[in-house]
Amino acid sequence: LPAGLSQWFPALEVLDVSGTGLTEMGMELLSLPCLHTLLAKNNRLGGPGSLPKGLEQAPLARSLRVLNLSGNRFSEVPPALLQLRGLRSLSLGGNRLHGIPPDIQELYSLEFLYLGGNFITAIPPELAKLPSLRYLVLCDNKIQSIPPQLAQLHSLRSLSLHNNLLTYLPREILNLVHLEELSLRGNPLVVRFVRDLTYNPPSLQELAGRTVKTRNVPYAPSDLPDSLVRYLSLASNCPNPKCGGVYFDSCVRQIKFVDFCGKYRLPLMHYLCSPECSSPFSSASQSSTSQSESDSEDEASVAAHRMQKVLLG
């Protein structure tokens, strides 16, 4: 940045130095007490010294509201940026980020966060501690799962997750009561739905427990050791109403499709007592499908008014 910038423009509020080949921003930046918007897209920032030292102590740390550093070479979110507590919009798309630091939660005024086009593999649960976040863009990364804590982002209006590696969504996603747009295209959950999931065969104890429960075999606490009585009390009912089965420790992780807006079906994780409940050739499976569709209608009636647009393709 040119020397004397603060002397020439002491009341500067918006500074755009995008596409200028910058490799660093000098100390002059710290002397702009009125600056609220800084655009430095498509440069060569990202190496040591790219940002001026003392940024977090400068008046700029309090005045800056919009910061766009997309299209640069940052391999991590600079720690100094996490001290800009007044930021409402932060864009670091198209960089070389491999993760999101848990300290992102310090930017509690953030309303817009753009981290698309990086190499991010995981979302820290701390991201859910941004109470004002309305727009979250994490597209074009390598994210494999969504932490259920994201359901705490009650202000979220738009969530962009397209072109990642997601195979399912946590059920808690339904708690995003103000969500209006959810972009999922280009994920395995859309390209090909998960069908074959790991199932560990039940133990002999579980098989016996299932038999006792499903056949209503009578027993009294005096008939069994206390440990078995407690074990039998932990039985979970299979969600397939035509199955009538129970399970203890062994269950099948399965994808349940929930309708949104009467048009799109999103896969959410749920559990069944055995592979037969999900087999396309079994009557149990057919009833499971029927129940899934019935549940989908019930959940759609609650969620359709929340989700205005689901982008799958």
Side-chain angles (χ1 to χ4, degrees):
L1 297 179
L5 183 63
S6 59
Q7 297 177 2
W8 299 337
F9 307 104
L12 191 66
E13 296 183 353
V14 178
L15 177 61
D16 188 350
V17 290
S18 301
T20 56
L22 278 180
T23 58
E24 64 179 47
M25 290 187 284
M27 300 298 292
E28 285 295 318
L29 188 66
L30 306 182
S31 303
L32 297 172
C34 300
L35 192 69
H36 60 70
T37 299
L38 175 58
L39 310 177
K41 303 178 293 180
N42 304 323
N43 284 300
R44 291 181 288 170
L45 300 169
S50 292
L51 301 179
K53 292 182 180 180
L55 177 61
E56 57 272 24
Q57 284 87 33
L60 184 65
R62 296 184 294 273
S63 66
L64 201 59
R65 297 291 180 266
V66 177
L67 177 60
N68 192 326
L69 296 173
S70 292
N72 280 284
R73 302 177 181 181
F74 290 100
S75 58
E76 63 179 14
V77 178
L81 297 189
L82 302 176
Q83 302 300 317
L84 304 179
R85 304 296 170 79
L87 270 187
R88 295 177 184 171
S89 175
L90 175 61
S91 299
L92 281 164
N95 276 275
R96 302 171 182 177
L97 304 179
H98 285 79
I100 305 172
D103 286 344
I104 194 76
Q105 65 182 319
E106 301 297 330
L107 301 179
Y108 45 76
S109 298
L110 210 58
E111 299 178 5
F112 178 91
L113 179 59
Y114 190 104
L115 297 174
N118 283 287
F119 303 95
I120 297 169
T121 58
I123 302 172
E126 289 80 3
L127 189 62
K129 297 181 180 180
L130 297 175
S132 302
L133 196 63
R134 295 166 60 89
Y135 301 93
L136 176 58
V137 181
L138 295 167
C139 61
D140 300 291
N141 278 288
K142 299 181 181 298
I143 298 169
Q144 300 183 39
S145 64
I146 302 299
Q149 289 87 348
L150 283 196
Q152 299 170 18
L153 291 173
H154 300 302
S155 297
L156 202 63
R157 298 293 194 275
S158 177
L159 177 58
S160 296
L161 295 167
H162 51 272
N163 299 332
N164 276 286
L165 302 175
L166 298 172
T167 56
Y168 70 93
L169 298 177
R171 190 179 187 85
E172 289 80 1
I173 202 80
L174 298 175
N175 295 329
L176 293 173
V177 296
H178 297 296
L179 197 65
E180 298 173 356
E181 181 176 275
L182 175 63
S183 179
L184 294 168
R185 66 183 185 274
N187 280 282
L189 65 80
V190 176
V191 177
R192 58 174 179 78
F193 295 123
V194 178
R195 299 186 185 277
D196 299 323
L197 296 171
T198 303
Y199 174 64
N200 295 320
S203 63
L204 292 177
Q205 176 175 280
E206 174 146 351
L207 289 174
R210 290 186 181 196
T211 300
V212 169
K213 286 293 187 179
T214 56
R215 298 189 179 183
N216 295 317
V217 176
Y219 66 90
S222 58
D223 299 330
L224 300 171
D226 291 343
S227 60
L228 290 181
V229 173
R230 287 194 299 271
Y231 180 78
L232 289 171
S233 69
L234 299 176
S236 298
N237 294 321
C238 182
N240 183 349
K242 300 296 179 64
C243 171
V246 299
Y247 63 88
F248 294 88
D249 303 312
S250 178
C251 60
V252 178
R253 293 190 312 140
Q254 187 56 278
I255 298 300
K256 176 180 180 180
F257 297 92
V258 176
D259 290 339
F260 283 96
C261 307
K263 183 176 181 181
Y264 299 111
R265 309 196 74 195
L266 301 183
L268 305 178
M269 187 66 74
H270 75 140
Y271 302 91
L272 298 169
C273 68
S274 70
E276 286 73 21
C277 282
S278 58
S279 170
F281 304 106
S282 69
S283 59
S285 169
Q286 295 171 6
S287 61
S288 175
T289 301
S290 174
Q291 174 67 12
S292 176
E293 291 176 353
S294 175
D295 288 348
S296 296
E297 292 173 1
D298 293 340
E299 290 174 340
S301 67
V302 175
H305 71 281
R306 302 177 186 168
M307 193 81 64
Q308 295 181 2
K309 186 186 298 183
V310 180
L311 303 176
L312 296 179

